[in-house]
Amino acid sequence: MRTFVPNFPLQPRYTEYVIFNQVQNLATTLRNTLSTLFILNAFEHTSTAVALTATLSFLARDGAGMISTLLFSRFAPPFSLATDVKKWRYAADVTCDVALGLEFLTSYVLDLPQRAFILSLCLASCLKSVCGMMAGCAAGPIDFHWSGGDASNLPELSSKSAAQHTLSSGLGIVAGATLSRAAAGLAKEQRRSKFTLYAGWAALTVLHLAANARLLKTIALNSINRERLRIIMKNFLKDKEGAVLTPVEVAAKEPLIFWFGGGRNRKVAVGLPSSKGDDFGEDRVLIKGDKRGVEVLLREGVSALEGHYAAYAAQGGSQGGSQGGVQGGTSRFDEFAIKLEDAGWDVKDTSQLLDHGWRCRVE
């Protein structure tokens, strides 16, 4: 308990999260071990100077990974990294699977020339580096959630998480050593044995993705981003009593892949620069809509709650071709805002709605 469990009141479903986190880490460790075995075997077949070729190849691979890290840091959308935490974490897992699959494909399945083989290793290293960056960006908000929103709990939570990771990695090393011996024997045999390796690799990949999807469903973030607002609002408008889903209920429905969910919604842009002639009147928010989408202009000093108000109006209350304040078509918003707070959502202090950051000053 002292080694693996934080010494503060734990959030609901933390144990479930830890279990699936260790399962996915074990699946990754096993595939990493097999990948290393196949890569070293491939070097033995493609070069006579095995040690020198492997050393230079690993240096090239590490260099490619460093460059991709810098590029990701330069071009990654910073606001999306904060608002779509779960999607970025799952994108990291998918990227890891693609990288490991590429290593397996080029080192064991395909017989590539040496230059093409090294190029594939560099590409896999780039993907792994990007995976690490995406997972690292998502780790902070996820840890803050499990700390109960108390920053003083973060150091202990991080140390326990590291201990849990060490345990699953250690088990992976022991299991990987046994698995590598078996795989080394199978690799020298015929087609039937190759099918066993293919099936085993595919099973570990599916297990990794399923475990990650399950652990992300346990994370019930109470901040509202655009996807969560869409889910909440859809249920609110359809339900006869206007029920608002809780963070736990939304977590079970929230999509984990960027291109899933929200595809039928109108394009909404919040916080754009104002064009000449826009008349706010007494409103702090101005909505302009047409067939192409909706623009939401915000006056200087709007609160997080008013930002949610604007997104509600833009996504559900405004009609194409209309122009006006948020009062148009949003008479139920006051009721909606109260029910959001009652359901446990943070709507006053934190806003994670996609926002371009422009605020209009009216003089």
Side-chain angles (χ1 to χ4, degrees), residues 61-134:
R61 186 176 71 166
D62 292 345
M66 293 174 186
I67 293 172
S68 65
T69 297
L70 296 176
L71 291 175
F72 180 84
S73 179
R74 167 63 181 84
F75 293 105
F79 194 82
S80 179
L81 290 172
T83 59
D84 297 310
V85 173
K86 293 206 223 175
K87 289 184 178 181
W88 281 106
R89 167 59 195 270
Y90 201 68
D93 300 320
V94 173
T95 304
C96 175
D97 289 332
V98 172
L100 290 172
L102 181 62
E103 289 181 345
F104 177 66
L105 183 69
T106 56
S107 63
Y108 180 70
V109 179
L110 301 177
D111 186 14
L112 296 178
Q114 184 174 328
R115 289 186 179 180
F117 173 59
I118 294 174
L119 183 62
S120 71
L121 291 185
C122 291
L123 179 58
S125 178
C126 291
L127 292 174
K128 284 184 176 181
S129 297
V130 171
C131 163
M133 292 286 287
M134 290 190 289

Side-chain angles (χ1 to χ4, degrees), residues 103-331:
E103 289 181 345
F104 177 66
L105 183 69
T106 56
S107 63
Y108 180 70
V109 179
L110 301 177
D111 186 14
L112 296 178
Q114 184 174 328
R115 289 186 179 180
F117 173 59
I118 294 174
L119 183 62
S120 71
L121 291 185
C122 291
L123 179 58
S125 178
C126 291
L127 292 174
K128 284 184 176 181
S129 297
V130 171
C131 163
M133 292 286 287
M134 290 190 289
C137 293
I142 291 175
D143 285 349
F144 189 71
H145 166 73
W146 292 123
S147 71
D150 187 349
S152 64
N153 291 332
L154 285 173
E156 184 179 5
L157 181 71
S158 297
S159 67
K160 302 307 181 187
S161 298
Q164 296 160 7
H165 182 84
T166 301
L167 175 64
S168 58
S169 297
L171 293 174
I173 290 174
V174 174
T178 304
L179 193 61
S180 294
R181 292 176 65 89
L186 287 172
K188 297 177 182 179
E189 296 181 13
Q190 301 303 317
R191 183 179 301 174
R192 184 176 179 183
S193 299
K194 285 190 174 184
F195 175 78
T196 303
L197 285 175
Y198 297 158
W201 189 279
L204 286 173
T205 301
V206 171
L207 177 64
H208 178 255
L209 290 174
N212 275 293
R214 184 66 182 271
L215 74 87
L216 289 173
K217 294 294 184 181
T218 67
I219 304 171
L221 300 175
N222 69 340
S223 56
I224 297 182
N225 62 10
R226 182 168 294 183
E227 194 62 59
R228 294 181 202 122
L229 180 64
R230 182 188 66 82
I231 296 171
I232 296 169
M233 197 175 69
K234 183 179 179 181
N235 184 82
F236 174 75
L237 295 175
K238 283 188 174 182
D239 190 86
K240 292 182 179 179
E241 298 180 358
V244 170
L245 299 175
T246 66
V248 173
E249 292 171 326
V250 172
K253 298 182 177 183
E254 189 177 357
L256 302 176
I257 303 177
F258 278 104
W259 53 86
F260 282 5
R264 297 180 181 178
N265 284 0
R266 301 171 69 196
K267 185 177 180 181
V268 177
V270 179
L272 292 176
S274 175
S275 60
K276 219 169 186 182
D278 289 325
D279 183 13
F280 279 80
E282 298 299 321
D283 294 312
R284 295 170 64 82
V285 174
L286 180 65
I287 297 172
K288 304 192 306 178
D290 55 30
K291 293 181 179 180
R292 293 173 296 178
V294 182
E295 290 184 3
V296 180
L297 307 181
L298 305 175
R299 288 186 65 168
E300 191 176 48
V302 295
S303 65
L305 182 58
E306 288 173 306
H308 288 82
Y309 196 123
Y312 171 90
Q315 294 192 46
S318 64
Q319 302 296 323
S322 66
Q323 178 169 339
V326 292
Q327 283 76 17
T330 60
S331 58

